[in-house]
Amino acid sequence: MSVATDSRGRLEGKLAVVTGASRGIGFAIARGLADRGARVIVSSRDPESCARAATDLGGIGVACDVADDAQVHALFDAVASHGGADVLVSCAGLGGGRLAAKTDRAELQTMLDVHYLGAMTAARLAAEQMRARGGGAMLFVTSIWGLGGASGTLAYGAAKAALAHSVKVLALEWARDGIRVNGLAPGYVATDMTADLPDAARDKMLSRIPLRRAARPEEMAGPACFLCSDEASYVTGHVLVADGGERAR
Ligand SMILES: NC(=O)c1ccc[n+]([C@@H]2O[C@H](COP(=O)([O-])OP(=O)(O)OC[C@H]3O[C@@H](n4cnc5c(N)ncnc54)[C@H](OP(=O)(O)O)[C@@H]3O)[C@@H](O)[C@H]2O)c1
């Protein structure tokens, strides 16, 4: 008996919006979506790097700081002018963190603005477009630090934990509209965000990872594209951990 090949993992005809897509994990996911046939709207703050990434992928670049609601609205106006979103990947984010005693309100606010509040505005606006198109898929890039505690991650982890929680709430509320909502929780991925880690911190992180290495950003594209495609048509409200086995302990 031959195994039938099908096109459920393909994304032909879909319009995918990826925030934080100028480099790193977001760029790798945007490339994965484009390779699977999607038209990709590549977004990040810096107009030049965003336009460059869009050109690389044959997509459309739209600069947007997700911490600014007016810019997120403008991004989705642009998306509407291309027909409306079928897929949203919220990946914009920034690293950094201090011990709790040194973490002030401003740091908490910045992390929430960029990782969480911007993603929620994007989700609401994308959902309106997806409803009009009969459904869609959303993916929030959270982190293993949003699933468990780690010293020095108070603000970052809180914002990522909020995202992981919202995956479940949005999945429940929007299932009736044909909108699936999932999360991807990477462990240690070698990107600009982790490039400046002190050697001791890097060694400690690597020692906890059963696969004994950091992920390449491209290794996040497969899980992300799976969750955004019809291959995952019965998967919603799930946070997929891609951490080299770290949380298996
Ligand atoms: N690297 C890891 O080990 C790791 C692990 C778990 C989760 N993550 C998460 O994965 C996501 C991507 O991280 P990465 O490692 O790929 O980082 P990265 O290489 O530093 O890329 C970050 C991306 O986000 C964009 N960005 C930053 N602030 C933004 C804002 N306010 N509005 C819009 N875009 C913004 C950046 O472009 P501009 O500078 O042009 O805005 C860039 O495209 C983040 O959410 C991060 O928390 C990373």
Side-chain angles (χ1 to χ4, degrees), residues 9-51:
R10 302 290 306 168
L11 289 156
E12 261 96 15
K14 304 288 186 196
L15 183 63
V17 186
V18 185
T19 70
S22 62
R23 59 177 189 268
I25 296 170
F27 180 74
I29 293 174
R31 182 184 289 288
L33 294 167
D35 286 348
R36 289 162 178 78
R39 259 191 317 154
V40 182
I41 297 195
V42 173
S43 190
S44 78
R45 284 169 306 180
D46 177 49
E48 275 177 27
S49 43
C50 169

Side-chain angles (χ1 to χ4, degrees), residues 88 90 112 115-124 127 138-143 146-147 157-175 179-184 236-239:
L88 165 67
S90 254
L112 285 170
H115 290 273
Y116 183 63
L117 299 173
M120 287 303 106
T121 302
R124 284 192 301 274
M138 294 188 191
L139 181 73
F140 297 96
V141 178
T142 171
S143 163
L147 304 177
K160 292 303 200 186
L163 267 184
H165 177 264
S166 297
V167 161
K168 299 187 186 304
V169 176
L170 300 184
L172 290 170
E173 292 193 6
W174 294 347
I179 300 171
R180 293 185 301 102
V181 184
N182 290 296
L184 176 67
T236 193
H238 182 71
V239 177

Side-chain angles (χ1 to χ4, degrees), residues 31-83:
R31 182 184 289 288
L33 294 167
D35 286 348
R36 289 162 178 78
R39 259 191 317 154
V40 182
I41 297 195
V42 173
S43 190
S44 78
R45 284 169 306 180
D46 177 49
E48 275 177 27
S49 43
C50 169
R52 208 168 29 245
T55 304
D56 266 12
L57 302 179
I60 303 142
V62 181
C64 167
D65 181 343
V66 296
D68 178 346
D69 252 30
Q71 292 190 39
V72 182
H73 278 265
L75 167 63
F76 279 89
D77 287 346
V79 178
S81 75
H82 289 281

